[in-house]
Amino acid sequence: MLFDKFIRKQRKTVYGIKLALIGLFVLVGLGFVFLFIKNISGDVHTERYLSLGWNIEYDGKTYERKALADFSCKGIKRGETVVMSRILPPNIPLNAALIVHVHYAAVKVYLDDELIYEADVDRYEAGQHLGNGFYEIILPEGCTGKMLTLEYIAGEDGAFSSIERPAVWDHYTFRQDYAAQNIIILALSMFFIVLGCSMGVMAFAFEFRKIFAFLDIFRLTALGSFSLVFGMWILAESDLFEIFTSDIITKSDIKYGAFFLMPVFFIGYHLENVRDVKLKYKNIVFGLIMLLGTILYVTALIAHSLNDVSFRTFLPFAQVIDVLTIFSVIAIKIYEYSKGHRSNSISFYATIIGTFAAIFDLMRYNIYSYTSAHGDQGFKISTMYVVMVFFVLALLFDYMQSTVRDAREDERMGTISRLAYTDVLTGLDNRQSAEKYFDTVDSKGTPYVVVQFDLNNLKTVNDTFGHEEGDKYIELFAKTLKKMFENKGFVARTGGDEFVFVMIPKAEGERVWLENRLKDLNVILSNKNTGHDNVKMSTAYGMYDSLFGDAKNIRDGLRYADAKMYEMKKEMKASR
């Protein structure tokens, strides 16, 4: 016995090691794929970039003929400037545009000491936050050989730690060329955005048609929102927003907003209906992390909008939320899997691989930021872009699979519930359902009218023609009651030939309507075709109105109605 346990334990250990190795190989393989894609779609026009030969003035020092890759201004303070100059090369194309990257700085551009362009200087002077991106500046004709001077003014402490190389492009083809150069990243971002919008439309349709439970709709909305903001973040992080707009201030706000919201939506997807009491605690943990992430985003947004501090100030806190999200999801997924909850295996593997990719890039980002002379500038995501494609698709597939399974289970439980509260023969509510409804009426304390029915001649039909004909006789009576009274209240079969009707009158006219319908009932029944000429259908009934009686509850009122029904039955027998 002990040996068997030891063997099982060893198998689990080996299985876990295999899983870790597979995940590692997948990440490494995807990393190489991404690098290959980057190499075939990267800098195909390096001669356009002005990387070398800059004379730079910073912090009272002058650097001559400096390569921008070798220059660092880490620790720059708000208001400090970096001024760099060089002669424009002779191979500048006609209709040339200068592409200047800025990192939370205002910029001025000079040609032979003549100011030809400035961006965000007014925002800097007004104490407003600046953005991150690039500006396209159309150069005048005959600029070849002139002195180009760029002046960067830091908009906040630590705004930038290096200068990204300017470039000269053809103004008319720049955006097409730039999009082609980054086509893989652009395609990935568009894929996530379109997929996110599609999931949002699906969630709206599901909610409109009430196909799935609210939490299932919430999870789909969260996954769609995650996909959408991830796609927006890729566009902003990769400076691809500038293909569509030159508003880098809004673009920067979107970049940080998307980054702050990604863990909120990611963990929102992992909220789910759980029947295991122990696993319900995960929703509490996830809910708290969602709340923390939401509070952080709202706080950062308010502070940023008031120009107190920028989004970048809250970035370390956002990374803490990222770490909490990643490790809580991994820990709970592993716990669920170890306890045999393996129905969501696709979600399990996708989450493990996706979160490890996020950890990998998060670690790389922080190492790069603190060890590189250029800070976080120039840092590029490596594995996460590609991994997230499979991750989001896997979660979507798992969502549809698990939601359909849950919907079928809910339908099965609903069917069982309906069978428990429905009379099989007539389709009306049964006694158990009636008892439950009586409790509801008593708890509300509203006035009611209850009618007890007893179907006449059922014993005669059963004895003369058989129980099958008796069942048809009951069904015909039930259909009549249902047609006459169901839209006005509750109708149930409480015994073999006993039926009950409860109405909650909303106006006095409804009581009059009921009295008139009861008077007409036996006339209507007598004209029903029972299938036997010598059998005429009829019923005895008794009514109790709580507005004019002293019954303690509806069951007590039903006894009054039952007594009146028996009086009517005696009268009907005496009149034959």
Side-chain angles (χ1 to χ4, degrees):
M1 192 74 176
L2 290 173
F3 180 74
D4 290 340
K5 287 184 178 179
F6 175 76
I7 293 296
R8 284 197 295 271
K9 187 175 181 181
Q10 295 305 311
R11 285 176 178 172
K12 285 183 178 179
T13 303
V14 172
Y15 182 76
I17 294 172
K18 286 181 179 179
L19 179 62
L21 288 174
I22 290 171
L24 180 62
F25 285 132
V26 168
L27 285 178
V28 173
L30 289 171
F32 279 115
V33 169
F34 185 82
L35 289 174
F36 173 74
I37 292 171
K38 182 180 177 182
N39 288 332
I40 65 173
S41 62
D43 290 351
V44 293
H45 299 292
T46 54
E47 70 277 3
R48 290 175 171 169
Y49 294 94
L50 308 178
S51 305
L52 307 173
W54 289 95
N55 298 321
I56 304 174
E57 296 178 12
Y58 168 64
D59 195 23
K61 298 177 182 178
T62 301
Y63 305 87
E64 294 184 356
R65 301 195 60 79
K66 190 79 171 175
L68 292 180
D70 299 329
F71 172 74
S72 173
C73 53
K74 198 169 186 179
I76 195 170
K77 301 295 184 182
R78 171 180 163 79
E80 293 184 347
T81 62
V82 175
V83 180
M84 42 189 271
S85 304
R86 64 158 285 173
I87 299 295
L88 283 172
N91 58 343
I92 291 178
L94 211 60
N95 305 312
L98 179 70
I99 310 303
V100 176
H101 290 261
V102 296
H103 204 259
Y104 309 103
V107 64
K108 295 180 180 180
V109 181
Y110 300 85
L111 270 182
D112 285 347
D113 297 326
E114 180 185 352
L115 181 66
I116 64 169
Y117 184 84
E118 65 177 19
D120 299 327
V121 175
D122 55 341
R123 290 185 61 88
Y124 164 75
E125 293 173 347
Q128 297 176 326
H129 298 302
L130 307 183
N132 172 31
F134 63 76
Y135 287 109
E136 180 186 7
I137 305 157
I138 300 175
L139 294 175
E141 292 184 16
C143 60
T144 298
K146 290 187 176 182
M147 178 66 73
L148 172 66
T149 302
L150 303 176
E151 180 183 350
Y152 296 91
I153 308 169
E156 56 187 79
D157 292 348
F160 55 92
S161 52
S162 62
I163 303 295
E164 191 164 345
R165 55 188 179 173
V168 178
W169 293 68
D170 186 319
H171 166 62
Y172 292 110
T173 63
F174 164 63
R175 280 176 168 73
Q176 296 92 318
D177 292 344
Y178 186 70
Q181 183 177 326
N182 296 277
I183 189 63
I184 302 298
I185 304 301
L186 183 61
L188 283 173
S189 63
M190 291 295 105
F191 166 79
F192 284 114
I193 291 172
V194 171
L195 182 64
C197 292
S198 299
M199 283 190 275
V201 172
M202 287 170 58
F204 176 80
F206 290 160
E207 176 62 20
F208 181 75
R209 297 295 301 274
K210 303 297 181 184
I211 295 175
F212 298 128
F214 171 77
L215 191 54
D216 291 326
I217 303 299
F218 176 83
R219 291 180 62 223
L220 181 59
T221 303
L223 182 58
S225 300
F226 174 81
S227 179
L228 177 62
V229 297
F230 186 68
M232 299 290 282
W233 180 71
I234 292 176
L235 273 180
E237 178 68 19
S238 304
D239 288 339
L240 292 173
F241 250 108
E242 284 82 336
I243 296 174
F244 309 100
T245 177
S246 58
D247 184 3
I248 67 169
I249 307 297
T250 302
K251 167 241 182 166
S252 301
D253 293 346
I254 290 173
K255 170 185 170 180
Y256 283 104
F259 184 79
F260 281 38
L261 288 173
M262 274 191 288
V264 174
F265 294 136
F266 171 72
I267 208 163
Y269 168 78
H270 288 89
L271 294 170
E272 55 186 321
N273 292 308
V274 286
R275 294 179 174 85
D276 189 335
V277 176
K278 294 181 180 178
L279 293 179
K280 288 184 178 179
Y281 290 106
K282 80 172 187 178
N283 282 351
I284 297 175
V285 173
F286 289 168
L288 287 174
I289 296 175
M290 278 190 70
L291 181 62
L292 285 174
T294 304
I295 291 172
L296 176 64
Y297 172 68
V298 172
T299 304
L301 181 63
I302 293 173
H304 182 81
S305 301
L306 296 175
N307 290 308
D308 292 336
V309 290
S310 69
F311 273 122
R312 297 179 72 211
T313 308
F314 293 90
L315 194 57
F317 300 102
Q319 292 183 1
V320 171
I321 297 294
D322 288 343
V323 172
L324 279 175
T325 300
I326 289 169
F327 283 104
S328 63
V329 170
I330 288 177
I332 289 177
K333 284 291 180 182
I334 292 175
Y335 174 79
E336 287 180 342
Y337 202 80
S338 67
K339 293 299 181 181
H341 299 273
R342 301 179 182 180
S343 56
N344 296 336
S345 57
I346 297 174
S347 175
F348 173 77
Y349 291 117
T351 299
I352 295 296
I353 294 173
T355 49
F356 271 113
I359 291 172
F360 179 68
D361 276 326
L362 197 60
M363 290 175 61
R364 284 182 59 248
Y365 170 81
N366 284 281
I367 292 171
Y368 194 97
S369 297
Y370 291 106
T371 61
S372 171
H374 301 290
D376 62 353
Q377 286 176 262
F379 174 80
K380 299 298 181 185
I381 298 297
S382 59
T383 59
M384 199 163 65
Y385 286 169
V386 179
V387 169
M388 283 299 172
V389 174
F390 303 101
F391 173 70
V392 172
L393 288 177
L395 289 189
L396 178 60
F397 178 79
D398 178 73
Y399 167 82
M400 297 306 296
Q401 188 181 48
S402 61
T403 304
V404 169
R405 183 180 60 248
D406 291 344
R408 286 176 177 172
E409 179 64 17
D410 291 342
E411 184 179 358
R412 187 179 72 84
M413 295 302 294
T415 301
I416 293 173
S417 177
R418 285 193 298 273
L419 290 174
Y421 291 104
T422 303
D423 180 62
V424 178
L425 178 62
T426 64
L428 296 176
D429 288 82
N430 60 14
R431 174 172 286 280
Q432 188 174 354
S433 179
E435 293 293 339
K436 187 176 179 181
Y437 182 76
F438 293 160
D439 290 336
T440 302
V441 173
D442 286 337
S443 66
K444 290 182 177 179
T446 53
Y448 61 87
V449 178
V450 59
V451 183
Q452 175 75 50
F453 298 95
D454 186 271
L455 178 60
N456 294 329
N457 304 320
L458 178 61
K459 187 176 184 305
T460 302
V461 174
N462 281 333
D463 292 344
T464 307
F465 306 106
H467 285 278
E468 186 175 346
E469 290 298 312
D471 288 345
K472 292 179 182 179
Y473 189 68
I474 293 171
E475 285 184 82
L476 182 60
F477 180 68
K479 287 179 181 178
T480 306
L481 287 185
K482 187 174 182 180
K483 185 176 180 180
M484 292 181 68
F485 299 111
E486 190 180 45
N487 64 336
K488 287 290 186 177
F490 175 82
V491 183
R493 182 189 180 197
T494 54
D497 56 1
E498 295 179 351
F499 295 79
V500 68
F501 170 65
V502 181
M503 182 176 72
I504 309 298
K506 296 178 182 178
E508 183 60 32
E510 292 190 346
R511 288 183 168 85
V512 176
W513 172 89
L514 178 58
E515 290 174 358
N516 292 333
R517 294 302 282 166
L518 289 174
K519 290 176 183 178
D520 297 337
L521 179 58
N522 275 321
V523 176
I524 294 170
L525 291 174
S526 65
N527 292 320
K528 294 291 179 182
N529 182 11
T530 62
H532 308 284
D533 294 337
N534 58 337
V535 176
K536 294 292 182 182
M537 184 177 288
S538 65
T539 182
Y541 59 85
M543 183 178 76
Y544 173 80
D545 191 335
S546 65
L547 198 63
F548 305 105
D550 56 357
K552 298 176 182 178
N553 50 49
I554 190 171
R555 290 177 178 83
D556 196 24
L558 188 62
R559 282 190 285 273
Y560 281 105
D562 194 56
K564 291 182 180 179
M565 181 269 292
Y566 275 108
E567 289 178 9
M568 182 177 181
K569 203 170 189 69
K570 288 179 183 178
E571 292 174 2
M572 294 177 77
K573 285 183 179 180
S575 63
R576 290 176 185 171

